[in-house]
Amino acid sequence: MAMRPFVGGNWKMNLDANGATALASAVALGAPACQGAVDIVVFPPFPFLERVARALGDSGVELGAQDLSSEANGARTGEVSAEMLRDVGASWVIVGHSERRQHLGETDARVADKLLMALESGLRCVLCVGESLEQRKANREAEVVGSQVAAALAAIPAAQVHSVVVAYEPIWAIGTGVVATPQDAEAAHGAIREALTSRYDSALARETRVVYGGSLAPGNAKALFARPGVDGGLVGGASLKAPDFLAICSAAAHRLIAH
Ligand code: 13P
Protein backbone atom coordinates (compact mmCIF):
# COMPACT_ATOMS: atom_id res chain seq x y z
CA MET A 1 0.00 0.00 0.00
CA ALA A 2 1.45 3.31 -1.07
CA MET A 3 1.39 5.89 1.66
CA ARG A 4 0.26 9.47 1.36
CA PRO A 5 3.41 11.29 0.24
CA PHE A 6 5.04 14.12 2.18
CA VAL A 7 6.84 17.10 0.65
CA GLY A 8 8.62 19.62 2.88
CA GLY A 9 10.21 22.91 1.87
CA ASN A 10 13.25 23.66 4.04
CA TRP A 11 13.89 27.34 3.44
CA LYS A 12 17.08 27.22 5.59
CA MET A 13 18.60 30.67 6.36
CA ASN A 14 17.17 32.41 3.30
CA LEU A 15 14.70 35.16 2.38
CA ASP A 16 13.63 38.35 4.12
CA ALA A 17 10.30 39.06 5.76
CA ASN A 18 8.56 40.20 2.57
CA GLY A 19 10.09 37.39 0.55
CA ALA A 20 8.90 34.82 3.09
CA THR A 21 5.35 36.17 2.97
CA ALA A 22 5.33 36.24 -0.82
CA LEU A 23 6.65 32.68 -1.09
CA ALA A 24 4.15 31.36 1.45
CA SER A 25 1.28 33.10 -0.35
CA ALA A 26 2.34 31.63 -3.69
CA VAL A 27 2.63 28.12 -2.23
CA ALA A 28 -0.78 28.49 -0.56
CA LEU A 29 -2.31 29.58 -3.85
CA GLY A 30 -0.87 26.70 -5.86
CA ALA A 31 -1.16 23.92 -3.31
CA PRO A 32 -4.83 23.03 -3.68
CA ALA A 33 -4.05 21.55 -7.11
CA CYS A 34 -2.24 18.62 -5.46
CA GLN A 35 -3.21 18.77 -1.87
CA GLY A 36 -5.77 16.06 -1.72
CA ALA A 37 -2.95 13.63 -2.38
CA VAL A 38 0.13 14.97 -0.58
CA ASP A 39 1.04 16.51 2.79
CA ILE A 40 2.81 19.82 2.15
CA VAL A 41 4.81 21.56 4.89
CA VAL A 42 7.02 24.65 4.73
CA PHE A 43 9.87 25.31 7.19
CA PRO A 44 10.72 29.05 7.30
CA PRO A 45 13.34 30.64 9.57
CA PHE A 46 12.09 31.29 13.14
CA PRO A 47 11.48 35.06 12.79
CA PHE A 48 9.10 34.50 9.87
CA LEU A 49 6.97 31.72 11.35
CA GLU A 50 4.07 33.91 12.40
CA ARG A 51 3.80 35.85 9.17
CA VAL A 52 4.08 32.64 7.15
CA ALA A 53 1.31 31.11 9.29
CA ARG A 54 -0.90 34.08 8.39
CA ALA A 55 -0.01 33.87 4.70
CA LEU A 56 -0.79 30.12 4.61
CA GLY A 57 -4.17 30.76 6.22
CA ASP A 58 -6.54 27.85 5.73
CA SER A 59 -4.80 26.61 2.56
CA GLY A 60 -4.00 23.28 4.19
CA VAL A 61 -0.24 23.81 3.78
CA GLU A 62 1.24 23.15 7.19
CA LEU A 63 3.91 25.08 9.08
CA GLY A 64 7.14 23.71 10.53
CA ALA A 65 10.32 25.02 12.17
CA GLN A 66 13.88 24.07 11.28
CA ASP A 67 15.04 23.21 14.79
CA LEU A 68 14.04 23.31 18.47
CA SER A 69 15.67 23.22 21.89
CA SER A 70 15.94 19.91 23.72
CA GLU A 71 14.92 21.81 26.86
CA ALA A 72 11.37 22.82 27.76
CA ASN A 73 12.22 26.36 28.92
CA GLY A 74 14.64 28.39 30.99
CA ALA A 75 18.21 29.63 30.74
CA ARG A 76 19.07 28.71 27.14
CA THR A 77 19.88 32.03 25.48
CA GLY A 78 19.02 32.03 21.79
CA GLU A 79 17.14 28.73 21.85
CA VAL A 80 13.50 28.21 20.88
CA SER A 81 11.26 25.72 22.68
CA ALA A 82 8.71 23.29 21.32
CA GLU A 83 5.91 25.13 23.13
CA MET A 84 6.94 28.42 21.53
CA LEU A 85 6.77 26.78 18.12
CA ARG A 86 3.31 25.42 18.79
CA ASP A 87 2.26 28.79 20.14
CA VAL A 88 3.01 30.49 16.80
CA GLY A 89 1.24 27.83 14.77
CA ALA A 90 3.93 25.31 13.88
CA SER A 91 2.87 21.68 13.87
CA TRP A 92 6.12 20.22 12.49
CA VAL A 93 9.83 20.54 13.21
CA ILE A 94 13.01 19.31 11.48
CA VAL A 95 15.38 17.44 13.80
CA GLY A 96 18.98 16.46 13.08
CA HIS A 97 19.56 18.18 9.75
CA SER A 98 23.10 17.43 8.55
CA GLU A 99 23.94 21.15 8.45
CA ARG A 100 23.35 21.26 12.22
CA ARG A 101 25.21 18.00 12.78
CA GLN A 102 28.18 19.20 10.68
CA HIS A 103 28.47 22.91 11.45
CA LEU A 104 26.84 23.20 14.87
CA GLY A 105 28.14 20.09 16.58
CA GLU A 106 24.79 18.38 16.95
CA THR A 107 25.40 14.83 18.18
CA ASP A 108 23.20 11.74 17.90
CA ALA A 109 22.45 12.15 21.61
CA ARG A 110 21.30 15.75 21.17
CA VAL A 111 19.20 14.78 18.16
CA ALA A 112 17.54 12.06 20.26
CA ASP A 113 16.77 14.54 23.07
CA LYS A 114 15.26 17.01 20.61
CA LEU A 115 13.14 14.35 18.96
CA LEU A 116 11.77 13.24 22.32
CA MET A 117 11.02 16.81 23.36
CA ALA A 118 9.27 17.58 20.06
CA LEU A 119 7.10 14.47 20.11
CA GLU A 120 6.17 14.86 23.77
CA SER A 121 5.11 18.42 22.99
CA GLY A 122 2.82 17.25 20.20
CA LEU A 123 4.96 18.35 17.25
CA ARG A 124 5.41 16.06 14.29
CA CYS A 125 9.02 15.61 13.22
CA VAL A 126 11.16 15.23 10.15
CA LEU A 127 14.19 13.29 11.35
CA CYS A 128 17.13 13.80 8.96
CA VAL A 129 19.81 11.19 8.42
CA GLY A 130 22.43 10.70 5.73
CA GLU A 131 26.01 9.77 5.02
CA SER A 132 28.97 11.92 3.99
CA LEU A 133 30.85 11.45 0.71
CA GLU A 134 33.70 9.68 2.53
CA GLN A 135 31.26 7.29 4.16
CA ARG A 136 29.61 6.54 0.82
CA LYS A 137 32.99 5.94 -0.82
CA ALA A 138 33.66 3.40 1.93
CA ASN A 139 30.26 1.76 1.24
CA ARG A 140 29.12 2.64 4.75
CA GLU A 141 25.85 4.41 3.88
CA ALA A 142 23.54 1.67 5.17
CA GLU A 143 25.47 1.38 8.44
CA VAL A 144 25.53 5.18 8.93
CA VAL A 145 21.83 5.82 8.33
CA GLY A 146 20.92 2.72 10.34
CA SER A 147 22.88 3.87 13.36
CA GLN A 148 21.52 7.43 13.11
CA VAL A 149 17.95 6.11 13.05
CA ALA A 150 18.60 3.71 15.94
CA ALA A 151 20.19 6.44 18.08
CA ALA A 152 17.46 9.00 17.42
CA LEU A 153 14.60 6.60 18.14
CA ALA A 154 16.13 4.75 21.10
CA ALA A 155 13.81 6.47 23.59
CA ILE A 156 10.77 6.88 21.34
CA PRO A 157 7.89 4.47 21.99
CA ALA A 158 6.20 2.79 19.04
CA ALA A 159 3.00 4.75 19.62
CA GLN A 160 4.78 8.01 18.72
CA VAL A 161 6.46 6.86 15.52
CA HIS A 162 3.45 7.72 13.36
CA SER A 163 4.40 11.38 14.04
CA VAL A 164 7.85 10.93 12.51
CA VAL A 165 8.88 11.23 8.86
CA VAL A 166 12.47 10.10 8.21
CA ALA A 167 14.34 12.13 5.58
CA TYR A 168 17.25 10.43 3.84
CA GLU A 169 19.54 13.30 2.91
CA PRO A 170 22.97 12.17 1.69
CA ILE A 171 25.32 15.03 2.56
CA TRP A 172 27.07 14.88 -0.82
CA ALA A 173 23.75 15.59 -2.56
CA ILE A 174 22.71 18.61 -0.48
CA GLY A 175 23.02 21.87 -2.37
CA THR A 176 25.46 20.33 -4.85
CA GLY A 177 23.22 19.64 -7.84
CA VAL A 178 24.36 16.01 -7.57
CA VAL A 179 21.22 14.01 -6.90
CA ALA A 180 21.18 10.43 -5.64
CA THR A 181 20.00 7.96 -8.26
CA PRO A 182 16.54 6.51 -7.65
CA GLN A 183 18.26 3.16 -6.99
CA ASP A 184 20.61 4.74 -4.40
CA ALA A 185 17.65 6.34 -2.67
CA GLU A 186 15.64 3.13 -2.71
CA ALA A 187 18.55 1.19 -1.20
CA ALA A 188 19.14 3.74 1.56
CA HIS A 189 15.43 3.90 2.34
CA GLY A 190 15.52 0.11 2.63
CA ALA A 191 18.36 0.38 5.17
CA ILE A 192 16.34 2.95 7.14
CA ARG A 193 13.35 0.58 7.19
CA GLU A 194 15.60 -2.26 8.35
CA ALA A 195 16.68 -0.10 11.27
CA LEU A 196 13.02 0.69 12.01
CA THR A 197 12.21 -3.02 11.88
CA SER A 198 15.03 -3.80 14.35
CA ARG A 199 13.86 -1.06 16.70
CA TYR A 200 10.09 -1.77 16.37
CA ASP A 201 8.68 -4.21 13.82
CA SER A 202 8.24 -4.58 10.09
CA ALA A 203 4.66 -3.27 10.08
CA LEU A 204 5.70 -0.02 11.72
CA ALA A 205 8.69 0.23 9.37
CA ARG A 206 6.38 -0.11 6.37
CA GLU A 207 3.95 2.49 7.73
CA THR A 208 6.63 5.12 8.43
CA ARG A 209 7.19 7.58 5.64
CA VAL A 210 10.77 7.87 4.40
CA VAL A 211 11.44 10.80 2.07
CA TYR A 212 14.45 11.83 -0.01
CA GLY A 213 16.34 15.14 0.17
CA GLY A 214 19.35 16.47 -1.75
CA SER A 215 19.23 18.56 -4.96
CA LEU A 216 15.60 17.64 -5.60
CA ALA A 217 14.24 19.55 -8.59
CA PRO A 218 11.20 19.39 -10.87
CA GLY A 219 13.28 17.47 -13.40
CA ASN A 220 14.38 14.63 -11.10
CA ALA A 221 11.54 14.32 -8.58
CA LYS A 222 9.28 12.10 -10.68
CA ALA A 223 11.86 9.32 -11.14
CA LEU A 224 12.78 9.36 -7.43
CA PHE A 225 9.18 9.30 -6.24
CA ALA A 226 8.47 6.40 -8.60
CA ARG A 227 10.68 4.08 -6.52
CA PRO A 228 8.92 1.91 -3.95
CA GLY A 229 9.63 3.22 -0.47
CA VAL A 230 10.45 6.79 -1.55
CA ASP A 231 7.47 8.56 -0.01
CA GLY A 232 8.17 12.15 -1.03
CA GLY A 233 10.91 14.67 -0.45
CA LEU A 234 12.54 17.35 1.65
CA VAL A 235 13.43 20.22 -0.66
CA GLY A 236 16.05 22.91 -0.03
CA GLY A 237 17.02 25.26 -2.88
CA ALA A 238 14.07 24.44 -5.13
CA SER A 239 11.62 25.21 -2.30
CA LEU A 240 12.55 28.90 -2.55
CA LYS A 241 10.81 29.15 -5.93
CA ALA A 242 7.08 28.48 -5.66
CA PRO A 243 6.65 27.05 -9.18
CA ASP A 244 9.52 24.58 -8.66
CA PHE A 245 8.32 23.57 -5.20
CA LEU A 246 4.75 23.12 -6.45
CA ALA A 247 5.98 21.04 -9.39
CA ILE A 248 7.74 18.72 -6.92
CA CYS A 249 4.56 18.54 -4.80
CA SER A 250 2.62 17.65 -7.93
CA ALA A 251 5.16 14.94 -8.86
CA ALA A 252 4.60 13.40 -5.41
CA ALA A 253 0.83 13.68 -5.66
CA HIS A 254 0.73 11.98 -9.06
CA ARG A 255 3.49 9.46 -8.54
CA LEU A 256 3.25 6.10 -10.21
CA ILE A 257 5.24 3.56 -8.27
CA ALA A 258 7.34 1.13 -10.29
CA HIS A 259 7.51 -2.48 -9.15
P1 13P B 1 18.92 21.08 -1.47
O1 13P B 1 17.55 20.69 -2.04
O2 13P B 1 19.21 22.53 -1.64
O3 13P B 1 19.98 20.17 -1.96
O4 13P B 1 18.80 20.87 0.13
C1 13P B 1 18.29 19.69 0.62
C2 13P B 1 18.09 19.82 2.07
O5 13P B 1 19.04 19.94 2.84
C3 13P B 1 16.71 19.84 2.59
O6 13P B 1 16.68 19.76 3.98
Side-chain angles (χ1 to χ4, degrees):
M1 243 284 286
M3 276 171 299
R4 183 179 169 84
F6 170 99
V7 177
N10 176 6
W11 296 359
K12 305 191 181 181
M13 196 170 69
N14 292 299
L15 301 166
D16 58 15
N18 288 335
T21 305
L23 179 56
S25 301
V27 171
L29 200 64
C34 44
Q35 206 147 52
V38 56
D39 289 337
I40 304 175
V41 187
V42 293
F43 297 87
F46 290 135
F48 306 148
L49 283 168
E50 278 195 279
R51 64 167 55 227
V52 168
R54 278 195 298 276
L56 294 175
D58 59 4
S59 67
V61 177
E62 294 180 275
L63 182 69
Q66 297 173 18
D67 184 40
L68 81 163
S69 174
S70 57
E71 300 295 319
N73 60 282
R76 288 290 185 279
T77 302
E79 293 273 88
V80 176
S81 75
E83 286 306 323
M84 292 171 188
L85 297 179
R86 285 178 53 94
D87 213 11
V88 296
S91 47
W92 287 85
V93 65
I94 294 173
V95 177
H97 194 281
S98 64
E99 287 153 12
R100 300 198 61 84
R101 294 182 192 254
Q102 274 195 306
H103 307 307
L104 296 154
E106 205 154 285
T107 60
D108 273 343
R110 177 58 58 84
V111 170
D113 288 345
K114 289 186 174 190
L115 191 66
L116 187 62
M117 172 57 69
L119 292 169
E120 287 191 338
S121 307
L123 289 166
R124 282 173 289 167
C125 297
V126 179
L127 167 66
C128 297
V129 299
E131 81 284 0
S132 67
L133 186 58
E134 292 68 34
Q135 290 165 333
R136 173 155 284 260
K137 282 182 176 158
N139 293 320
R140 291 184 52 216
E141 60 273 14
E143 169 206 329
V144 170
V145 298
S147 75
Q148 288 174 335
V149 167
L153 293 170
I156 307 299
Q160 284 186 333
V161 179
H162 63 269
S163 296
V164 178
V165 169
V166 181
Y168 170 58
E169 298 208 300
I171 294 169
W172 46 270
I174 295 178
T176 58
V178 180
V179 69
T181 65
Q183 291 74 17
D184 285 342
E186 188 179 345
H189 289 212
I192 288 166
R193 286 207 163 83
E194 273 175 34
L196 291 169
T197 300
S198 302
R199 171 68 185 90
Y200 305 102
D201 58 49
S202 58
L204 204 52
R206 270 197 309 278
E207 289 159 14
T208 303
R209 287 181 291 190
V210 182
V211 303
Y212 170 80
S215 297
L216 263 174
N220 58 36
K222 196 173 158 196
L224 280 153
F225 299 162
R227 302 312 305 171
V230 180
D231 307 311
L234 187 59
V235 191
S239 74
L240 299 173
K241 294 186 191 131
D244 287 1
F245 183 62
L246 290 165
I248 295 169
C249 293
S250 173
H254 299 113
R255 71 189 177 142
L256 289 172
I257 298 171
H259 287 287

